Amino acid sequence: MSTVRRLFDVRPGERALVGLSIAYLATVVASFLLAKPIRNALFLRQYGAYRLVYVYAGVPVALSILAPLYELASSRLGARRVVAASLVFFALNVVLFWGAFRFFHLPGLSGIFYIWVNCYGIIAPVQAWSVVGGLFETRQAKRLFGLVGSGASLGAIGGGLMASTLVGPVGGAQNLLLVLAALVALAAGLVTIIHRQTPRLVPAVRGPRASFLETLSLIRRDRYLGLITALVFLVAIVTQWSGFQFSLVADLRFAGNADQLTAFFGRFNVAFGVVALAAQILATGPLLRRFGIAVTILLLPAALGAGSLLIVLVPGFWSVFATNAADQSVRFSIDKASYELLYLPLPPAIRVRVRNAIDVFVNRLADAAGAVLLGLVTRGFGTGAGLGFGVRGTAAINLLFVGAWLAVAARVRREYLEAIRHSIRRHALRVGGPAGGPVLERAAAEVVAERLASPDAGEILYALGLMEADPARAGHPALRALLGHPSAAVRCRALAVLNAGGDAAVRPEVEALLEDPDLEVRTEALLFLTRHQRIDPLEKVRELGDVAGFSIRAGMVAFLAHPGPGQNLDAARAILDAMAREEAGEDPARTRLEAVRLIERLGPEFDAPLAALVGDRDERVAREAIRAAGAGRR
């Protein structure tokens, strides 16, 4: 489902929280994308591009000091207070920077501000995603995070627009700092409102506690994680050097004019932020589904390799501009989605902490190593002992790093496939994360589809559970063939996956299942036809004759709850409430069990009967109700 379609999938009770989440993410990202052009312009005006190696090396040092302090404050004061308080602190910092730039002209100030912006750009967005990630239950998150995440893309474009259009009216790059301070303060206000409207955030699912050193030891021992680490390390160095080249040619082109540099970097961020957003919406999903990680993980290094070769052959502003445009467009759309999928084979209990360790520790280590190497090959660190390379020389060396990146990426994609197979064999693969987008790219989907031909019904049911998290895979031929499987459980689950994916091509097979000997299969078939063929369940029941009462009522609820001319939510709730309270009839416990299944499918606005069903005297009903409540974190 695209972001545009999700706009119509926000329910009345969710709109305020979704709007606040989008505004908060957009404000935080806009503030960082406004700070970056100011940071670049003020530093380049004072020191030029070759001194960037000092601040590149200084950022990891500053973060190594700030991160433990932030963790200590969070453990003592609570994450909620620290998020809002840190944003207020950052806003005051910006006001102080403005005063220092405006009135005191302190030595090294632009370098300190450069390091401050980089630290802010790591801390504030992580805070924002953590806050937003705790606001929604699992089912809401899967449905809404594509829309909520669009706030980050809109913020990136908005920050670039402010940098490019306001630098003149406010009186220069220095005065843009006051706009930046206002944005950060606005983010603090928004997160405070969010916290007041949500007295209790949805608790995060945590795996076993482990120290940072234990996580690093796990990464070191695992070959697949070691390859991901090497990949992240090389990406950080290549993109850092490309960014240095961009700063160098921009500084030369605009002769160190801070206002012109700010406007230029702002326009660049706007233009290629729009390109990245379009690629994310229109190209990322189709590319992953059609070609898989085997292709998408190579796109960014191929683009940067071609750009670096172009710089070597034709050094100059436009060669560097094109290389960085490709970086901005691909890295934050297709490559980002591919990188996130590399963690798919990992057990959920360790996935988050491994990713955080690699993203934080390895990226910072690569920044420091890249800065030292860059200093050595350019003009040294104040000693004049550097090799004196400029744009062409650094691009030539960067080509070597890109070659290593391509080699590691090729190894990673082979190990990824084996890791997927290993996870499926152990039934350890978990998909369907909240962040939206494709959860099974082509290679993973093919491995999962292999299990649909297994002679073991349990293996097939496990594979169907994985495919159910990605309804777009419902058209797989092997899946349709399961509608004739000897196991009723497999037929029912396969039909449920096809129902979620809306595969109308299987209508003849589904209509035949209305006469299936298994009651659950007949009910699932009726729900499918009610939802996707818009048949009146009562008319179909009259044709069939012998259909269980709960099947009829379940079909009526699905019919009345589905958007369209026949929708009547009040009537659907009334029938569902009656099913949840059923005490008489042919099979009252089975009717209440069907009510639980409907509640889980229909969404939070039908949750009212669930509390009573959790305490149902029938063990099957209570167990399913507890599972449904847990699955939705109700």
Side-chain angles (χ1 to χ4, degrees), residues 119-329:
C119 293
Y120 173 76
I122 292 169
I123 294 171
V126 169
Q127 283 180 338
W129 281 111
S130 297
V131 169
V132 170
L135 295 178
F136 303 100
E137 62 170 30
T138 302
R139 182 167 18 187
Q140 284 178 307
K142 290 179 182 179
R143 178 167 48 83
L144 297 173
F145 255 47
L147 174 59
V148 171
S150 67
S153 300
L154 294 173
I157 296 168
L161 276 174
M162 283 185 277
S164 61
T165 59
L166 295 181
V167 64
V170 300
Q174 290 181 359
N175 289 338
L176 268 180
L177 290 171
L178 295 177
V179 179
L180 174 61
L183 273 180
V184 180
L186 176 60
L190 288 169
V191 77
T192 301
I193 294 172
I194 289 172
H195 286 159
R196 287 178 179 173
Q197 290 200 1
T198 54
R200 180 183 63 82
L201 293 181
V202 177
V205 177
R206 299 187 182 275
R209 296 183 65 85
S211 70
F212 183 69
L213 290 178
E214 287 173 333
T215 303
L216 290 181
S217 178
L218 171 65
I219 294 169
R220 181 180 57 81
R221 295 193 308 269
D222 188 281
R223 182 173 60 183
Y224 179 61
L225 294 180
L227 287 169
I228 294 177
T229 300
L231 187 71
V232 170
F233 191 88
L234 289 166
V235 171
I237 291 179
V238 171
T239 53
Q240 180 193 68
W241 282 39
S242 295
F244 163 77
Q245 293 161 0
F246 196 35
S247 296
L248 182 58
V249 297
D251 185 37
L252 292 173
R253 186 175 183 84
F254 296 103
N257 185 298
D259 294 351
Q260 291 181 10
L261 283 166
T262 301
F264 167 72
F265 286 122
R267 288 193 298 270
F268 179 86
N269 288 337
V270 171
F272 294 100
V274 171
V275 172
L277 178 59
Q280 181 181 348
I281 295 173
L282 302 175
T284 300
L287 284 173
L288 283 168
R289 293 184 190 284
R290 183 170 182 180
F291 301 107
I293 279 183
V295 172
T296 59
I297 201 171
L298 301 177
L299 290 180
L300 182 59
L304 291 180
S308 296
L309 180 60
L310 180 63
I311 295 170
V312 171
L313 297 175
V314 189
F317 175 82
W318 291 110
S319 301
V320 177
F321 181 93
T323 303
N324 279 267
D327 178 20
Q328 183 93 349
S329 303

